[in-house]
Amino acid sequence: MTMKLIEEFDHHLNALEAALRQTQRWPNKAPSEAQLASTAPFAIDTLSFFEWLAYVFVPKCHQLIAVGQLPGMMAISPAAHMYAPDCPDPILVQLLALDKLTERNKK
């Protein structure tokens, strides 16, 4: 894995966070520990898709980047269509970019 790939991923992750805030989808209140402990995909039984992005996905990706790693291949953009059909385009664009970058980082 190249540093350039990690830098690209970091750029799109930061752009995702900015898009969540700009479209007012960044949650105002942090979820409880119990909500975060969900084992359901995308914690959909306890969190909205946007809460999951803000409090699970984004922080975990930042942790991986900090140690020079990226997530394995993922498909978050289809989940956005399923769990957040009203997902704004700026968020979808960044999720798709992140998905494509992980395709290049096949594990």
Side-chain angles (χ1 to χ4, degrees):
M1 171 180 15
T2 67
M3 197 62 180
K4 183 176 180 342
L5 188 59
I6 292 171
E7 288 170 1
E8 280 184 68
F9 192 90
D10 188 46
H11 167 79
H12 286 287
L13 187 63
N14 290 329
L16 170 64
E17 189 172 341
L20 284 163
R21 291 180 190 281
Q22 289 167 353
T23 60
Q24 299 180 339
R25 297 309 194 279
W26 189 270
N28 293 326
K29 182 181 171 203
S32 69
E33 289 298 318
Q35 289 173 298
L36 290 172
S38 170
T39 58
F42 307 101
I44 203 65
D45 60 336
T46 60
L47 301 175
S48 73
F49 184 73
F50 301 115
E51 288 172 321
W52 178 82
L53 285 173
Y55 293 108
V56 178
F57 180 73
V58 169
K60 283 187 178 182
C61 288
H62 279 304
Q63 289 173 348
L64 288 171
I65 290 167
V67 295
Q69 296 179 359
L70 292 181
M73 222 168 124
M74 62 184 192
I76 306 296
S77 55
H81 289 290
M82 179 181 293
Y83 298 120
D86 63 336
C87 190
D89 285 343
I91 294 171
L92 289 172
V93 165
Q94 296 309 321
L95 290 174
L96 187 56
L98 291 167
D99 286 348
K100 288 184 179 193
L101 285 169
T102 63
E103 287 175 13
R104 292 171 37 198
N105 181 41
K106 294 178 183 160
K107 286 191 174 181

